[in-house]
Amino acid sequence: MGKSWVFAAIVLGLSACSVPAMKEYAWPAWDFAVSFRGPPKETDIPATADGAGRHSFLVQSNLAGRDDLVIVIDGTGSPRSEDQALTDAPGNIAKAAGATLGPITYAGTGAVVGREFLLSKPGRPAARARVFVFHQHLYEL
């Protein structure tokens, strides 16, 4: 009986340290849903007055040692095609992050086309990023 009591205490202790379950959150106005381990923080980023910065929407979750985010950029009215936005995105993201851009691979399904790549900085773990375009929106994960 003593050993089973210890085992039960260990199992209970480990379950208390488990990573929270994923839960889906949706933003129909921005045409996407994503699963996070905890409630995300939302930031609406208005377009700049000069038109250089597009209206964007950021959701991020920082929980259980994981940093997850999605930023959506509204490309409505942009003179650039969705293909051009997708081609430019990995380099633009790497430059903005001050990171080195790793190999780029195709990532998409059906009508949604995208790219996956690594971003690296000295002394930090590499970050995997994905970008997709759909209905004049660029999604960065």
Side-chain angles (χ1 to χ4, degrees):
M1 180 143 182
K3 288 183 181 178
S4 63
W5 186 237
V6 171
F7 178 73
I10 291 171
V11 169
L12 182 61
L14 289 174
S15 67
C17 297
S18 67
V19 175
M22 300 291 272
K23 180 181 175 191
E24 184 175 287
Y25 299 87
W27 294 271
W30 288 92
D31 290 328
F32 82 100
V34 66
S35 294
F36 287 126
R37 296 186 188 284
K41 177 184 172 193
E42 301 176 13
T43 307
D44 188 41
I45 306 162
T48 59
D50 64 4
R54 299 271 173 200
H55 184 204
S56 305
F57 185 69
L58 170 69
V59 292
Q60 56 189 2
S61 174
N62 308 96
L63 188 65
R66 293 173 171 88
D67 297 327
D68 299 305
L69 70 86
V70 177
I71 187 164
V72 185
I73 302 168
D74 182 4
T76 305
S78 172
R80 295 175 34 206
S81 70
E82 289 185 348
D83 286 338
Q84 188 61 47
L86 186 60
T87 298
D88 294 346
N92 292 341
I93 293 166
K95 183 178 178 182
T100 301
L101 179 61
I104 301 171
T105 59
Y106 175 82
T109 180
V112 180
V113 295
R115 303 289 181 268
E116 179 177 282
F117 50 93
L118 292 177
L119 298 172
S120 59
K121 287 182 168 185
R124 301 204 50 182
R128 181 173 312 280
R130 290 183 179 167
V131 291
F132 299 95
V133 291
F134 187 67
H135 291 182
Q136 295 186 315
H137 287 90
L138 177 77
Y139 299 87
E140 176 189 338
L141 292 76

